[in-house]
Amino acid sequence: MIGRTVGLAAVLACLAGGAAEAKTLVFCSEGSPESLNPQLVTTSTGMNAARPMFNNLVEFEPGTSTIRPGLAESWTISADGTEYTFRLRSGVRFHSNADFTPTRTMNAEDVVFSLMRQWKDDHPYHQISGGRFDYFKDMGMPELLRSIEQLDAMTVRIRLSRPEAPFLADLAMPFNAILSAEYAAKLLAAGTPERLDRDPIGTGPFVFAGFQENVAVRYRAFEDYWRGRQPIDTLVYSITPNPAVRLTKLKAGECHVMAFPNPADAPLIEGDPSLRLMRQEGFNIGYLAMNTMKPPFDMPLVRRAINMAIDKDAIIEAVYQGAGIAAKNPVPPTIWSYNDKIPPYRYDPDGARRLLTEAGFPLGLSTDLWYMPVSRPYMPNAKRIAELIHVDLEKIGINTEIKTADWADYRLKMQAGEHTLALYGWTGDNGDPDNFLHVLLGCTAARTGGNNIAKWCDADYDALVTRAKETSDQGERTRLYEKAQEIFHEEAPWVPLAHSIVMMATRANVKGFVMDPLGRHIFEGVDLE
């Protein structure tokens, strides 16, 4: 439900309903989700807003990238790696709302529905809500899947067209959350199928209670959650894009957990006994993408010139303030297969001007430069970074017009290729290099309007990262990914800017909240003392 803007205090007062003893935990989030159905989102903001409501067949252990059983209590994999058979957990209940009360527990029908809806164009729910399943497509799922079968009420078999090393990790990602097929059928019969995505029903620890765009998402504890009822009664995501405002709310007790404080505020948080600062080396990359479909950025010489023109050290000092390191590859140095032998492009304005002249632009050129309107863990102040890049490029004769859009529109504009230069970034979702090197730079994601916002498609690079997906030998995968990073460096579709140290802050009375290397905000099991 999208209603008129109201203050958070009014939202909380409405939720409390006079129950003074109820526990309400407020999370000051960094942005408004583009959807509440994780099938339809590609940002961590949207994924985290959906997370309290849904489960997957398999899941990551909180704080790790280790796979554990979820809605599937067990599974087997064929010797050739192309057939996965999942035995589902019995007795798992779905949520209800004012118009829907489930008549059965979760079964194989729900699993088949949730995957087929994204996969098949002729599925009755495929075109609902725009028919965009960008993450599903970016991961190459349409080509990878061969069949999805319900063997019996509690058994599902998924056959693949080829072996896929990160497939279980892919199933643990938010876009493969399990929805209620029974709810979907009821909405379709009522002529309101769009409500599946607007008024979500899942099996997760919290039930959807309301969404006011750019204000708050509200949830209540699910009494029949299969892992047990939550310690807190009400969870609120208070949408607060400005990190300074988030910190003010945290200090005042208006929120209990805040996302991504400004690095400069770390000493202030650490010096306050009522607060707690959490740090973690980020599994991320912040970068400047160049739209390789738009001349002259279809020319590697121009792209290399941009790489040489940008002073990364100055950006890290001014914006990251000790909470970031310069990037040279499209993957973080904490991931296996990182190619440390690749030399970084060094800051060299004179050399950059010579490359521009060689490319046919001795007098420079003009272009646009887009920045994200929200703070992200990999880019705490994109506007400031854009301003610094503007100055750097001006020194070599490139004039930029700085632009932005609200976060939901920004993502769509980037995927549609409306930009020329654009700041963006990524936090790995499954602990596998594939989630960076294929999802962000493969040809599939360039063609589908997905997360390859450089629109870069290099046949040799794509062959390497595709082959790497198809073998389970990590040594061979490492060799292929290292070679792919060499091609990326030579072709330079991005300027890799920084890998950040990610920070979160909480009130001292928050218990059980842990930072997660995959950028997830997990409130299952969290309590207020």
Side-chain angles (χ1 to χ4, degrees):
M1 296 176 290
I2 298 176
R4 61 185 179 87
T5 299
V6 297
L8 180 60
V11 172
L12 293 179
C14 178
L15 282 168
E21 72 282 359
K23 289 184 180 180
T24 295
L25 186 146
V26 181
F27 168 53
C28 277
S29 70
E30 75 286 358
S32 194
E34 63 266 42
S35 173
L36 294 173
N37 182 346
Q39 297 176 328
L40 302 175
V41 305
T42 59
T43 69
S44 58
T45 301
M47 295 174 196
N48 279 316
R51 194 173 307 281
M53 301 178 288
F54 293 98
N55 294 115
N56 290 47
L57 287 175
V58 296
E59 301 177 350
F60 297 113
E61 288 274 2
T64 77
S65 57
T66 302
I67 295 291
R68 70 175 181 182
L71 296 181
E73 61 183 9
S74 64
W75 56 88
T76 59
I77 306 172
S78 65
D80 66 357
T82 64
E83 186 174 298
Y84 290 70
T85 304
F86 296 91
R87 184 65 185 171
L88 303 184
R89 191 178 301 276
S90 63
V92 175
R93 296 183 180 277
F94 278 102
H95 306 158
S96 59
N97 60 26
D99 300 310
F100 173 71
T101 301
T103 63
R104 59 168 178 79
T105 56
M106 182 273 305
N107 65 26
E109 183 182 352
D110 304 302
V111 176
V112 173
F113 167 82
S114 300
L115 298 177
M116 295 291 281
R117 185 242 175 137
Q118 300 182 83
W119 183 21
K120 294 298 184 181
D121 292 349
D122 60 354
H123 190 280
Y125 265 90
H126 188 77
Q127 295 303 325
I128 304 302
S129 302
R132 290 183 64 100
F133 303 101
D134 291 328
Y135 215 140
F136 186 87
K137 294 174 183 176
D138 284 0
M139 295 297 291
M141 297 290 281
E143 297 78 26
L144 174 65
L145 294 172
R146 185 156 60 97
S147 66
I148 303 169
E149 304 167 274
Q150 175 179 331
L151 300 186
D152 60 44
M154 301 304 290
T155 309
V156 174
R157 181 170 62 200
I158 301 176
R159 288 189 169 121
L160 308 182
S161 60
R162 62 175 188 271
E164 178 85 350
F167 183 63
L168 274 181
D170 294 347
L171 288 180
M173 292 167 64
F175 72 93
N176 281 322
I178 303 305
L179 283 61
S180 167
E182 183 184 16
Y183 181 49
K186 179 172 181 177
L187 294 177
L188 193 64
T192 57
E194 68 283 351
R195 289 190 56 197
L196 182 75
D197 305 315
R198 194 182 68 214
D199 300 321
I201 292 287
T203 60
F206 292 94
V207 178
F208 175 63
F211 174 34
Q212 292 172 305
E213 192 172 13
N214 298 315
V215 178
V217 189
R218 309 187 303 279
Y219 318 83
R220 66 177 187 274
F222 182 30
E223 299 293 338
D224 295 321
Y225 182 48
W226 58 276
R227 281 198 183 105
R229 207 257 195 209
Q230 295 303 294
I232 58 174
D233 303 286
T234 301
L235 174 64
V236 178
Y237 279 30
S238 175
I239 298 164
T240 315
N242 188 308
V245 177
R246 291 200 293 274
L247 181 56
T248 298
K249 289 183 176 182
L250 186 74
K251 290 168 64 180
E254 293 181 29
C255 62
H256 303 93
V257 180
M258 72 163 284
F260 321 135
N262 278 323
D265 290 329
L268 185 151
I269 297 169
E270 290 177 312
D272 189 330
S274 68
L275 307 180
R276 185 171 70 241
L277 182 69
M278 309 170 80
R279 301 174 188 260
Q280 188 173 75
E281 192 167 5
F283 195 60
N284 62 34
I285 175 75
Y287 59 90
L288 176 72
M290 293 169 271
N291 189 336
T292 60
M293 300 296 290
K294 290 187 175 182
F297 298 96
D298 55 343
M299 302 173 64
L301 277 178
V302 173
R303 302 197 297 261
R304 290 179 204 134
I306 300 288
N307 269 270
M308 295 166 64
I310 294 175
D311 188 348
K312 296 180 190 178
D313 290 340
I315 289 172
I316 290 169
E317 181 180 356
V319 178
Y320 292 84
Q321 300 183 37
I325 60 171
K328 63 178 181 179
N329 292 326
V331 292
T334 52
I335 200 170
W336 59 269
S337 82
Y338 179 82
N339 192 341
D340 201 30
K341 297 177 182 178
I342 292 174
Y345 283 97
R346 58 191 180 86
Y347 176 54
D348 183 2
D350 292 335
R353 276 193 293 269
R354 286 194 294 271
L355 285 184
L356 272 187
T357 298
E358 185 181 345
F361 298 93
L363 301 179
L365 55 97
S366 296
T367 187
D368 54 67
L369 170 59
W370 291 75
Y371 72 88
M372 295 173 294
V374 296
S375 63
R376 308 298 296 152
Y378 45 75
M379 199 170 291
N381 189 338
K383 181 179 181 181
R384 180 62 180 140
I385 292 175
E387 291 167 348
L388 293 168
I389 290 175
H390 171 84
V391 172
D392 284 342
L393 296 183
E394 201 170 44
K395 293 175 184 175
I396 67 166
I398 297 179
N399 297 309
T400 58
E401 180 185 359
I402 296 178
K403 298 182 176 183
T404 192
D406 72 59
W407 185 218
D409 285 344
Y410 188 89
R411 178 185 64 88
L412 293 174
K413 287 178 182 293
M414 299 305 103
Q415 291 179 331
E418 293 185 23
H419 63 291
T420 306
L421 305 181
L423 290 168
Y424 216 65
W426 193 254
T427 297
D429 289 321
N430 66 8
D432 196 282
D434 172 75
N435 193 240
F436 290 87
L437 295 171
H438 185 267
V439 171
L440 303 182
L441 292 159
C443 290
T444 297
R447 291 191 301 264
T448 61
N451 283 302
N452 185 344
I453 68 164
K455 307 302 176 187
W456 180 63
C457 177
D458 181 279
D460 293 335
Y461 174 96
D462 196 65
L464 290 167
V465 297
T466 300
R467 279 165 51 201
K469 291 160 62 77
E470 297 172 2
T471 176
S472 59
D473 184 332
Q474 188 163 315
E476 175 64 6
R477 294 186 76 202
T478 295
R479 186 188 70 79
L480 294 167
Y481 285 138
E482 286 178 344
K483 180 64 177 175
Q485 288 168 72
E486 292 173 8
I487 296 174
F488 168 88
H489 177 77
E490 182 69 16
E491 294 296 313
W494 296 354
V495 180
L497 294 172
H499 310 287
S500 72
I501 303 298
V502 180
M503 292 185 286
M504 300 283 288
T506 74
R507 301 285 300 176
N509 66 328
V510 175
K511 302 302 175 186
F513 181 82
V514 297
M515 288 192 69
D516 186 85
L518 304 180
R520 299 170 296 172
H521 304 320
I522 302 171
F523 292 99
E524 184 173 347
V526 176
D527 199 359
L528 292 174
E529 192 174 68

